[in-house]
């Protein structure tokens, strides 16, 4: 049984999801060194080019070859500019389940890139990789991320109380705060009708998505 993700690219109407390469270091560092990314993720801040290079050359390849997950650069099809990251983590090959995470660059928010990239990844996982479950976890106050989950067809399963550590800016600097995780799931059958729902809502750009 296959227990690693292939080295692949996924294309949509506007995007190409592909493996990272070292040319992405400056754009990745700039994207991750952002206050909203700081608030809702556990990436180190400041996020330097050295940190980005380590992620691209060591962490991401290790996650894929170790069978734990997959990191994909989300780029614009026309400009090839880096607009975000799709990350699969905590993969369980026995039950064919993985956790989906996403981050969008500040300049690209509001264009629906998060939902477009997440939906393309879900379709690939279910159709090509024969996965049976995708899980998302969103902080209780991260409404933009919750809107992405809803838009691609996820079902809210419940709340993990006090299970998330977010960060908030104070007069003294950044401080950690505890909050709840909302758990979402996506199954193959949940994708039925998603394209029609997107069309009815005006497409991917109906929500202001950033993470």
């Amino acid at each position: 049984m296959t227990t690693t993700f292939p080295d692949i690219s996924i294309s949509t109407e506007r995007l190409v999801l592909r493996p990272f390469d070292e040319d992405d270091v400056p754009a990745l560092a700039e994207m991750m060194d952002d206050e909203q990314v700081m608030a809702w993720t556990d990436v180190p801040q400041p996020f330097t080019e050295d940190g980005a290079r380590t992620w691209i050359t060591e962490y991401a390849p290790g996650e894929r070859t170790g069978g734990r997950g997959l990191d994909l650069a989300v780029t614009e099809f026309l400009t090839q500019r880096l607009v975000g990251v799709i990350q699969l983590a905590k993969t369980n090959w026995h039950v064919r389940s993985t956790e989906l995470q996403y981050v969008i660059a500040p300049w690209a928010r509001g264009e629906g890139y998060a939902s477009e990239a997440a939906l393309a990844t879900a379709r690939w996982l279910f159709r090509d990789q024969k996965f049976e479950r995708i899980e998302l976890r969103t902080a209780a106050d991260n409404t933009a991320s919750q809107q992405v989950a809803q838009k691609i067809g996820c079902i809210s399963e419940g709340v993990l109380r006090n299970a998330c550590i977010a960060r908030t800016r104070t007069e003294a600097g950044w401080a950690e705060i505890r909050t709840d995780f909302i758990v979402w799931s996506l199954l193959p059958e949940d994708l039925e009708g998603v394209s029609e729902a997107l069309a009815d809502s005006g497409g991917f750009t109906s929500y202001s998505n950033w993470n």
Side-chain angles (χ1 to χ4, degrees):
M1 182 179 68
T2 300
T3 57
T4 58
F5 290 112
D7 210 12
I8 52 89
S9 294
I10 302 169
S11 296
T12 72
E13 181 179 350
R14 300 184 298 167
L15 303 172
V16 176
L17 285 64
R18 57 162 177 79
F20 279 96
D21 60 49
E22 287 201 59
D23 290 342
D24 297 315
V25 165
L28 179 62
E30 181 180 1
M31 178 178 68
M32 302 303 285
D33 194 32
D34 171 74
E35 286 202 358
Q36 297 213 60
V37 175
M38 175 70 167
W40 300 119
T41 74
D42 60 0
V43 298
Q45 294 290 329
F47 195 88
T48 64
E49 289 198 5
D50 285 342
R53 185 172 292 103
T54 298
W55 184 350
I56 290 171
T57 62
E58 298 179 20
Y59 174 78
E63 288 294 285
R64 190 184 73 81
T65 58
R68 294 179 294 274
L70 181 68
D71 292 66
L72 294 172
V74 181
T75 62
E76 284 186 321
F77 176 76
L78 292 178
T79 67
Q80 300 183 8
R81 189 176 181 184
L82 183 70
V83 302
V85 177
I86 286 287
Q87 187 174 54
L88 304 177
K90 303 175 184 176
T91 304
N92 186 320
W93 291 95
H94 180 65
V95 298
R96 310 299 287 188
S97 173
T98 192
E99 183 176 326
L100 174 66
Q101 303 166 358
Y102 36 82
V103 173
I104 298 297
W107 67 267
R109 293 166 190 162
E111 298 298 325
Y113 287 139
S115 50
E116 186 170 342
L119 183 59
T121 304
R123 286 172 170 160
W124 172 74
L125 283 167
F126 291 146
R127 296 173 184 176
D128 295 355
Q129 300 299 300
K130 310 304 179 186
F131 269 58
E132 296 293 337
R133 174 182 168 88
I134 298 171
E135 186 172 300
L136 287 77
R137 298 187 180 195
T138 62
D141 293 327
N142 190 350
T143 56
S145 189
Q146 293 160 27
Q147 289 168 344
V148 174
Q150 292 172 329
K151 196 162 192 180
I152 67 172
C154 292
I155 304 300
S156 176
E157 293 187 330
V159 175
L160 298 177
R161 296 184 301 159
N162 228 24
C164 174
I165 295 180
R167 292 178 279 200
T168 185
R169 183 176 286 282
T170 67
E171 292 182 359
W174 286 96
E176 292 186 344
I177 55 172
R178 298 196 72 93
T179 186
D180 298 339
F181 259 141
I182 300 175
V183 180
W184 307 79
S185 67
L186 189 67
L187 306 183
E189 56 266 30
D190 296 330
L191 291 185
E192 297 177 8
V194 169
S195 297
E196 291 80 0
L198 283 170
D200 291 342
S201 67
F204 284 106
T205 57
S206 296
Y207 293 121
S208 177
N209 305 330
W210 62 265
N211 176 25

